[in-house]
């Protein structure tokens, strides 16, 4: 996998496993929040940021501990 640098590519990658209905309120709100987070992070970093998800360790979420939402 290549490093992703465009906000749209990063957001698409992050939302893919959620299987949100395209164009739904939930999908639009998730995209809006992620876009804001990426822009804020890039401003704080003061340089372009790319993400290579293939080098990140897997994370297992314990749904029983965090709720089944």
């Amino acid at each position: 996998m290549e490093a992703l640098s465009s906000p749209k590519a990063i957001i698409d990658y992050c939302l893919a496993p959620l299987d949100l209905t395209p164009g739904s309120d939930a999908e639009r709100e998730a995209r809006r929040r992620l876009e804001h987070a990426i822009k804020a992070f890039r401003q704080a970093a003061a340089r372009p940021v790319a993400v290579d998800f293939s080098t990140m360790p897997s994370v297992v979420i314990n749904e029983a501990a965090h709720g089944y939402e």
Side-chain angles (χ1 to χ4, degrees), residues 16-65:
L18 300 179
D19 198 29
L20 296 172
T21 304
S24 68
D25 288 343
E27 194 250 2
R28 282 193 303 272
E29 181 63 12
R31 284 187 180 280
R32 185 190 69 77
R33 290 179 183 201
L34 285 167
E35 190 173 320
H36 174 76
I38 291 168
K39 286 180 180 177
F41 181 76
R42 282 186 168 174
Q43 267 187 328
R47 61 181 172 83
V49 176
V51 180
D52 184 355
F53 289 101
S54 66
T55 63
M56 296 175 74
S58 296
V59 175
V60 177
I61 298 172
N62 181 344
E63 290 185 8

Side-chain angles (χ1 to χ4, degrees), residues 11-20:
I11 292 169
D12 288 346
Y13 181 87
C14 291
L15 293 182
L18 300 179
D19 198 29
L20 296 172

